[in-house]
Protein backbone atom coordinates (compact mmCIF):
# COMPACT_ATOMS: atom_id res chain seq x y z
CA UNK A 1 0.00 0.00 0.00
CA UNK A 2 1.26 3.42 -0.97
CA UNK A 3 1.39 6.03 1.79
CA UNK A 4 -0.43 8.93 0.14
CA UNK A 5 0.73 11.26 2.93
CA UNK A 6 4.11 11.42 1.19
CA UNK A 7 2.72 13.95 -1.27
CA UNK A 8 1.52 16.31 1.51
CA UNK A 9 4.16 19.08 1.14
CA UNK A 10 3.02 19.96 -2.39
CA UNK A 11 0.32 22.52 -3.31
CA UNK A 12 -3.22 21.13 -3.57
CA UNK A 13 -3.29 21.09 -7.39
CA UNK A 14 0.13 19.46 -7.61
CA UNK A 15 -0.75 16.93 -4.88
CA UNK A 16 -3.97 16.10 -6.72
CA UNK A 17 -2.01 15.53 -9.92
CA UNK A 18 0.42 13.20 -8.10
CA UNK A 19 -2.50 11.31 -6.58
CA UNK A 20 -4.20 11.09 -9.97
CA UNK A 21 -1.06 9.62 -11.51
CA UNK A 22 -0.62 7.23 -8.58
CA UNK A 23 -4.21 6.12 -9.05
CA UNK A 24 -3.58 5.54 -12.73
CA UNK A 25 -0.50 3.50 -11.90
CA UNK A 26 -2.42 1.48 -9.31
CA UNK A 27 -5.11 0.81 -11.90
CA UNK A 28 -2.55 -0.43 -14.42
CA UNK A 29 -1.07 -2.91 -11.95
CA UNK A 30 -4.47 -4.23 -10.95
CA UNK A 31 -4.92 -2.43 -7.61
CA UNK A 32 -8.38 -1.02 -8.31
CA UNK A 33 -9.12 -0.25 -4.65
CA UNK A 34 -5.94 1.80 -4.24
CA UNK A 35 -6.66 3.55 -7.52
CA UNK A 36 -10.13 4.59 -6.34
CA UNK A 37 -8.67 5.75 -3.00
CA UNK A 38 -6.07 7.88 -4.79
CA UNK A 39 -8.61 9.45 -7.17
CA UNK A 40 -11.03 10.16 -4.32
CA UNK A 41 -8.22 11.86 -2.40
CA UNK A 42 -7.21 13.84 -5.50
CA UNK A 43 -10.76 15.15 -5.83
CA UNK A 44 -10.97 15.92 -2.13
CA UNK A 45 -7.82 18.05 -2.47
CA UNK A 46 -8.66 19.63 -5.80
CA UNK A 47 -12.31 19.21 -6.85
CA UNK A 48 -11.63 20.65 -10.32
CA UNK A 49 -9.24 17.82 -11.29
CA UNK A 50 -11.09 16.47 -14.34
CA UNK A 51 -8.70 13.57 -14.92
CA UNK A 52 -9.31 12.20 -11.44
CA UNK A 53 -13.06 12.76 -11.79
CA UNK A 54 -13.18 10.95 -15.14
CA UNK A 55 -11.09 8.05 -13.86
CA UNK A 56 -13.17 7.76 -10.71
CA UNK A 57 -16.40 7.83 -12.69
CA UNK A 58 -15.10 5.05 -14.94
CA UNK A 59 -14.04 3.00 -11.88
CA UNK A 60 -17.44 3.41 -10.20
CA UNK A 61 -19.15 2.39 -13.44
CA UNK A 62 -16.93 -0.71 -13.70
CA UNK A 63 -17.81 -1.58 -10.11
CA UNK A 64 -21.51 -1.07 -10.98
CA UNK A 65 -21.78 1.31 -8.02
CA UNK A 66 -24.81 3.28 -9.23
CA UNK A 67 -25.06 5.34 -6.05
CA UNK A 68 -21.45 6.51 -6.32
CA UNK A 69 -21.79 7.16 -10.07
CA UNK A 70 -24.85 9.36 -9.56
CA UNK A 71 -23.33 11.22 -6.61
CA UNK A 72 -20.18 11.96 -8.62
CA UNK A 73 -22.18 12.99 -11.70
CA UNK A 74 -24.24 15.41 -9.58
CA UNK A 75 -21.03 16.82 -8.12
CA UNK A 76 -19.49 17.20 -11.59
CA UNK A 77 -22.65 18.80 -12.96
CA UNK A 78 -22.73 21.36 -10.14
CA UNK A 79 -19.06 22.25 -10.56
CA UNK A 80 -18.94 22.27 -14.37
CA UNK A 81 -17.87 25.59 -15.88
CA UNK A 82 -19.26 24.58 -19.27
CA UNK A 83 -23.07 24.35 -19.52
CA UNK A 84 -22.77 21.52 -22.06
CA UNK A 85 -20.74 19.44 -19.61
CA UNK A 86 -23.22 20.15 -16.83
CA UNK A 87 -26.13 19.13 -19.07
CA UNK A 88 -24.32 15.89 -19.99
CA UNK A 89 -23.95 14.93 -16.31
CA UNK A 90 -27.47 16.05 -15.32
CA UNK A 91 -28.87 14.04 -18.26
CA UNK A 92 -27.13 10.90 -17.03
CA UNK A 93 -28.49 11.45 -13.52
CA UNK A 94 -31.99 12.06 -14.85
CA UNK A 95 -31.97 9.02 -17.15
CA UNK A 96 -30.84 6.80 -14.29
CA UNK A 97 -33.25 8.19 -11.70
CA UNK A 98 -36.43 8.79 -13.74
CA UNK A 99 -37.61 5.17 -14.07
CA UNK A 100 -37.56 4.58 -10.29
CA UNK A 101 -40.48 6.19 -8.39
CA UNK A 102 -38.39 6.34 -5.20
CA UNK A 103 -35.80 8.45 -7.06
CA UNK A 104 -38.28 10.85 -8.62
CA UNK A 105 -36.91 13.80 -6.62
CA UNK A 106 -33.42 13.16 -8.03
CA UNK A 107 -34.80 13.01 -11.55
CA UNK A 108 -36.74 16.23 -11.06
CA UNK A 109 -33.62 17.96 -9.72
CA UNK A 110 -31.65 16.81 -12.77
CA UNK A 111 -34.21 17.83 -15.39
CA UNK A 112 -34.92 21.16 -13.65
CA UNK A 113 -31.17 21.85 -13.76
CA UNK A 114 -31.12 21.06 -17.49
CA UNK A 115 -34.14 23.30 -18.08
CA UNK A 116 -32.47 26.15 -16.20
CA UNK A 117 -29.30 25.78 -18.31
CA UNK A 118 -31.22 25.30 -21.57
CA UNK A 119 -34.74 26.76 -21.20
CA UNK A 120 -35.74 25.69 -24.72
CA UNK A 121 -34.81 22.02 -24.17
CA UNK A 122 -38.17 20.43 -24.95
CA UNK A 123 -36.87 16.97 -24.10
CA UNK A 124 -36.12 17.97 -20.50
CA UNK A 125 -39.43 19.80 -20.20
CA UNK A 126 -41.41 16.81 -21.52
CA UNK A 127 -39.71 14.53 -18.98
CA UNK A 128 -40.54 17.06 -16.25
CA UNK A 129 -44.15 16.95 -17.41
CA UNK A 130 -44.22 13.16 -16.90
CA UNK A 131 -42.47 13.40 -13.53
CA UNK A 132 -44.80 16.08 -12.17
CA UNK A 133 -47.84 14.16 -13.46
CA UNK A 134 -46.61 11.05 -11.66
CA UNK A 135 -45.90 12.98 -8.46
CA UNK A 136 -49.26 14.76 -8.50
CA UNK A 137 -47.58 18.17 -8.17
CA UNK A 138 -50.15 20.08 -10.21
CA UNK A 139 -48.71 23.51 -9.43
CA UNK A 140 -45.32 22.56 -10.89
CA UNK A 141 -47.06 20.75 -13.75
CA UNK A 142 -48.88 23.96 -14.67
CA UNK A 143 -45.55 25.82 -14.65
CA UNK A 144 -44.01 23.21 -16.94
CA UNK A 145 -46.97 23.46 -19.33
CA UNK A 146 -46.28 27.19 -19.58
CA UNK A 147 -42.57 26.62 -20.13
CA UNK A 148 -43.27 24.08 -22.87
CA UNK A 149 -45.67 26.53 -24.53
CA UNK A 150 -42.98 29.24 -24.41
CA UNK A 151 -40.28 26.92 -25.74
CA UNK A 152 -42.52 25.26 -28.33
CA UNK A 153 -41.46 25.03 -31.92
CA UNK A 154 -44.75 26.17 -33.39
CA UNK A 155 -48.19 27.59 -32.77
CA UNK A 156 -49.88 24.18 -32.57
CA UNK A 157 -47.61 22.99 -29.75
CA UNK A 158 -47.96 26.33 -27.97
CA UNK A 159 -51.74 26.17 -28.22
CA UNK A 160 -51.82 22.55 -27.02
CA UNK A 161 -49.83 23.29 -23.86
CA UNK A 162 -51.60 26.52 -23.08
CA UNK A 163 -54.88 24.58 -23.34
CA UNK A 164 -53.52 21.88 -21.01
CA UNK A 165 -52.51 24.53 -18.49
CA UNK A 166 -55.95 26.15 -18.74
CA UNK A 167 -57.73 22.79 -18.21
CA UNK A 168 -55.53 22.11 -15.21
CA UNK A 169 -56.33 25.50 -13.70
CA UNK A 170 -60.06 25.01 -14.37
CA UNK A 171 -59.95 21.60 -12.65
CA UNK A 172 -58.31 23.24 -9.63
CA UNK A 173 -61.18 25.75 -9.43
CA UNK A 174 -63.72 22.94 -9.59
Amino acid sequence: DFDFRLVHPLRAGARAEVLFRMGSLCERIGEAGDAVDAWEQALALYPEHRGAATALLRAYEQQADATAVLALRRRLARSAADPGEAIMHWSAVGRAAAPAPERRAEAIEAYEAIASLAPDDLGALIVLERLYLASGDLERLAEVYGRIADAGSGPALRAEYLARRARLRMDELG
Side-chain angles (χ1 to χ4, degrees):
D1 288 341
F2 179 75
D3 186 355
F4 295 110
R5 292 173 296 169
L6 295 175
V7 298
H8 180 69
L10 303 173
R11 290 177 300 117
R15 287 194 317 243
E17 183 62 24
V18 169
L19 288 165
F20 166 65
R21 291 174 188 257
M22 289 304 303
S24 298
L25 179 61
C26 289
E27 180 184 42
R28 277 189 223 116
I29 63 172
E31 298 293 335
D34 286 341
V36 166
D37 289 344
W39 294 326
E40 287 174 342
Q41 289 183 40
L43 283 179
L45 284 169
Y46 195 71
E48 298 82 23
H49 197 290
R50 291 297 176 210
T54 301
L56 192 55
L57 189 58
R58 184 181 66 244
Y60 288 157
E61 287 171 344
Q62 288 172 349
Q63 296 170 352
D65 188 342
T67 301
V69 167
L70 292 179
L72 183 55
R73 283 201 179 274
R74 278 192 301 277
R75 178 178 169 185
L76 292 172
R78 287 186 185 109
S79 68
D82 174 51
E85 181 183 353
I87 288 170
M88 176 190 71
H89 290 298
W90 282 124
S91 294
V93 170
R95 282 191 310 273
E102 68 276 6
R103 300 181 84 178
R104 189 175 295 132
E106 289 177 74
I108 288 171
E109 175 193 22
Y111 286 106
E112 284 289 359
I114 293 167
S116 73
L117 291 166
D120 293 338
D121 187 325
L122 282 174
L125 293 171
I126 297 297
V127 174
L128 282 169
E129 175 189 17
R130 287 195 318 253
L131 291 168
Y132 287 131
L133 268 170
S135 72
D137 189 340
L138 301 181
E139 186 63 35
R140 298 303 305 258
L141 180 60
E143 290 173 22
V144 169
Y145 283 163
R147 290 158 65 189
I148 292 171
D150 291 342
S153 59
L157 183 66
R158 180 171 172 72
E160 169 66 24
Y161 277 91
L162 289 175
R164 286 184 188 190
R165 186 171 66 180
R167 280 193 302 274
L168 190 62
R169 293 295 187 204
M170 289 175 60
D171 289 346
E172 287 176 351
L173 295 174

